Amino acid sequence: KIKKAEPTKNGDPPGSLQITLHSLFRPEQSNRNIKDYDNDDDNDDDYNRVRAEHDNNNIANTDASSRISLILALPRPLALARLLPMISMMGIQHLILTSAQKVPKDYFGSHLFRNTNEIRKLLIEGLCQAGDVNIPNVTIVNRLKPFLEDDLDDLFPRDEYARVIAHPYRQMKNEFNQTDTIIDSSSISTNCTATEGSNMNDGGPQASNVLRMDDVIFPIRNENSEKSSEKKILLAVGPEGGWAEPFELEMFQSHEFQQITLGSRILRSDVAVISLLSLAHDVCARKSMKATVSD
């Protein structure tokens, strides 16, 4: 006699459902899922239709995640564990976890790095929610400057990626009227005393020259390339409080990173990353579509 399943004493369901993903494969490797048709002429049209639908689904699933890559200053281990599923849920191609001046060295001793399967599990958790199968590539960088000088161009060519660094602009006290004036922190590194849009009568430069994600300039790609209309972004997000000024900002700017901002508020890493990834996906999708239509 089979015993009827009953709720437990604390009201929880009787037992749990556990799904284990032993391995994932990219959509282009899943051709075996396509129905095998005979080579008869009558079936050629059906085969071509199914194959076209399959290929279109692959493109829809992979394009979004392949447009964005992320350089992230390593957050606290607990914050990283919370953030990894969100990152894979949003969809990225490559994740670079790097050191920074404000990142304590002991963060690299996290249990997540001693057992890389933990990172994989967290990434898969986000993929399950998003219905995706493309696990991002993950690279751990202990020294940021050598990475930018030696490896950046190989991984993210200048002619393919718009390089973007996110950093909060800060508020300084206006000496003339004792009000808060928001200025672009990049003016510190470029020694700008007055910029386009400055109003000297108001006591200093204004934030009118600060870039947002929608202002990012993409590289002009070869028109003969099959993916000439595809827009890609490499996004660099610093630790809480932003990158070190002016050293790290100047270092990124020397490698053609365009500085953007979400505003003057100091955000937690998870809030900043998800907000920036959302904006990056939106900009890439719109500008890729616009380039495709114009072609």
Side-chain angles (χ1 to χ4, degrees), residues 111-124:
H111 68 285
L112 295 174
F113 300 139
R114 294 195 296 269
N115 183 4
T116 56
N117 283 332
E118 293 297 322
I119 294 179
R120 179 182 172 86
K121 289 178 182 178
L122 293 170
L123 292 173
I124 290 176

Side-chain angles (χ1 to χ4, degrees), residues 39-51:
N39 292 327
D40 296 343
D41 293 339
D42 294 340
N43 291 326
D44 285 347
D45 292 340
D46 290 337
Y47 175 82
N48 291 333
R49 175 181 54 78
V50 173
R51 183 55 184 263

Side-chain angles (χ1 to χ4, degrees), residues 121-284:
K121 289 178 182 178
L122 293 170
L123 292 173
I124 290 176
E125 178 184 332
L127 294 177
C128 292
Q129 175 66 37
D132 193 5
V133 295
N134 296 295
I135 300 180
N137 297 320
V138 180
T139 301
I140 312 299
V141 175
N142 291 317
R143 299 176 62 197
L144 177 58
K145 185 176 180 181
F147 169 77
L148 293 177
E149 294 175 347
D150 301 334
D151 301 323
L152 182 67
D153 288 338
D154 292 334
L155 291 173
F156 310 104
R158 297 170 189 260
D159 60 344
E160 292 186 16
Y161 288 84
R163 297 175 177 180
V164 177
I165 178 173
H167 186 71
Y169 54 72
R170 57 194 182 85
Q171 292 183 335
M172 294 185 64
K173 209 69 175 178
N174 189 316
E175 296 179 359
F176 294 88
N177 54 20
Q178 297 299 312
T179 58
D180 286 337
T181 298
I182 300 176
I183 67 172
D184 181 7
S185 59
S186 63
S187 63
I188 300 172
S189 60
T190 55
N191 296 320
C192 293
T193 56
T195 58
E196 182 180 355
S198 297
N199 187 345
M200 301 306 293
N201 294 328
D202 291 338
Q206 302 298 312
S208 59
N209 62 328
V210 176
L211 295 180
R212 301 287 181 163
M213 186 68 77
D214 206 44
D215 302 320
V216 168
I217 300 174
F218 289 86
I220 300 175
R221 304 181 65 177
N222 186 355
E223 295 181 357
N224 296 327
S225 172
E226 294 181 358
K227 297 184 178 181
S228 59
S229 61
E230 185 178 7
K231 306 301 181 184
K232 296 183 178 182
I233 286 180
L234 171 61
L235 174 64
V237 182
E240 294 182 8
W243 300 99
E245 300 176 9
F247 171 69
E248 288 179 339
L249 291 180
E250 290 178 342
M251 183 170 58
F252 277 101
Q253 289 167 0
S254 68
H255 292 279
E256 300 182 8
F257 277 78
Q258 305 168 60
Q259 183 177 326
I260 67 164
T261 183
L262 287 175
S264 60
R265 289 180 177 272
I266 297 177
L267 304 176
R268 282 192 347 188
S269 297
D270 51 355
V271 176
V273 168
I274 300 307
S275 300
L276 289 163
L277 287 178
S278 299
L279 293 172
H281 277 294
D282 176 66
V283 168
C284 284

